[in-house]
Amino acid sequence: MASPIELALAEARAAAARGEVPVGAVVTDAAGAVLARAGNEVEARHDPSAHAEMLAMRAAAAARGNKNLGDCTLTVTLEPCPMCAQAASVFRVRRVVFGAYDPKGGGVEHGARIYAAPSCHHVPEVVGGVREGECGALLRAFFAARR
Amino acid sequence: MASPIELALAEARAAAARGEVPVGAVVTDAAGAVLARAGNEVEARHDPSAHAEMLAMRAAAAARGNKNLGDCTLTVTLEPCPMCAQAASVFRVRRVVFGAYDPKGGGVEHGARIYAAPSCHHVPEVVGGVREGECGALLRAFFAARR
């Protein structure tokens, strides 16, 4: 069975094939079952908030009819931006696992560092750098081809 | 004609009537035309990211088929949380006008202070405290009734 980061990488590759920035995300429950998976859909939806993480978390909660993802892990190929990092907090995600670090746009280990704010009510566990090389290479290849 | 903050207050009151935290938001274009308006739908959608601002910005961009809201003002009854503040940045909103300040959950003047991060690529103009009394009173009444 493919691991969550492998499924997220597959979503990222599918996003690239649609002309979207290649980021993919998967939400799994405590037993490891996949509740939702998504790739970026910013261009297709004309929606800059349609990041893979947002779509996957919304779909996971909708699938269960429960807004609380407190038993879940969000696995994503790129460090979440501040919007998605905060979304993981409001969905009460237990753990955020990400691939490539994003010094320019990330909001977990960089920039606004959402979980470091004392007012952040729910702080997920964070594991960064998983399959970092592959996750980052996808993004670099995508942007290099557009230059 | 009702002003944007009056329309946002009406959306907030309608949200309260549905049992949602009373926050409302409106997106207007440079000419002042209303592109979208929304109230909180967190409970109805089982979606903690369904804040009034997110829904209004997504609807405004969808209505125009253009993800860039660079000529638009987002008017909301409560200081946006970090998720919504970052969303306003990625939608490239020109101006964020809000009512009540939110020391506990806000992400503009409080907490993660999204727009203060050097890596925030697009920083909207911010005007806070508009009809602050009414906007805050709605929230206080809602939570007092639930205690």
Side-chain angles (χ1 to χ4, degrees):
Chain A
M1 200 181 73
S3 68
I5 194 69
E6 281 162 356
L7 294 175
L9 274 161
E11 290 291 336
R13 280 182 213 107
R18 298 191 304 268
E20 303 274 0
V21 173
V23 179
V26 173
V27 175
T28 45
D29 68 13
V34 175
L35 297 179
R37 44 192 290 183
N40 238 328
E41 294 192 23
V42 166
E43 304 304 330
R45 294 184 185 229
H46 305 298
D47 178 0
S49 75
H51 288 183
E53 303 94 305
M54 292 289 283
L55 300 178
M57 290 187 283
R58 270 157 49 194
R64 300 211 291 190
N66 184 336
K67 66 182 179 174
N68 188 322
L69 300 178
D71 59 324
C72 295
T73 296
L74 169 69
T75 302
V76 52
T77 58
L78 181 66
E79 178 185 346
C81 79
M83 175 183 70
C84 293
Q86 180 70 26
S89 176
V90 298
F91 276 99
R92 309 194 73 76
V93 163
R94 189 172 72 82
R95 204 157 62 125
V96 174
V97 175
F98 67 84
Y101 288 87
D102 187 358
K104 282 190 189 168
V108 176
E109 305 289 349
H110 299 94
R113 292 177 198 270
I114 290 295
Y115 304 139
S119 59
C120 187
H121 302 305
H122 171 80
V123 175
E125 277 178 57
V126 173
V127 181
V130 176
R131 302 279 287 268
E132 184 180 3
E134 270 166 281
C135 292
L138 260 180
L139 285 155
R140 284 190 299 276
F142 180 81
F143 288 113
R146 305 225 136 191
R147 252 176 239 130
Chain B
M1 202 181 72
S3 67
I5 193 72
E6 281 161 355
L7 293 174
L9 274 160
E11 290 292 336
R13 280 184 213 105
R18 297 190 304 267
E20 303 273 0
V21 173
V23 179
V26 173
V27 175
T28 46
D29 68 13
V34 174
L35 296 179
R37 44 193 289 183
N40 238 328
E41 293 192 25
V42 167
E43 303 304 330
R45 293 183 186 229
H46 305 296
D47 178 359
S49 76
H51 288 184
E53 303 95 305
M54 292 290 281
L55 300 179
M57 289 187 285
R58 268 157 50 194
R64 301 212 291 191
N66 184 337
K67 67 181 178 175
N68 189 321
L69 300 179
D71 59 324
C72 295
T73 296
L74 169 69
T75 302
V76 53
T77 58
L78 182 66
E79 179 183 345
C81 78
M83 175 183 70
C84 293
Q86 181 69 25
S89 176
V90 297
F91 275 100
R92 309 194 73 75
V93 163
R94 188 173 72 82
R95 204 157 62 124
V96 174
V97 175
F98 67 84
Y101 289 87
D102 186 358
K104 281 191 191 168
V108 176
E109 306 289 350
H110 299 94
R113 292 178 198 270
I114 291 293
Y115 304 139
S119 59
C120 187
H121 302 306
H122 171 80
V123 175
E125 276 178 57
V126 173
V127 181
V130 176
R131 301 279 287 266
E132 182 179 3
E134 269 166 281
C135 292
L138 261 178
L139 285 155
R140 285 189 298 275
F142 180 82
F143 288 112
R146 304 224 138 190
R147 247 175 244 132

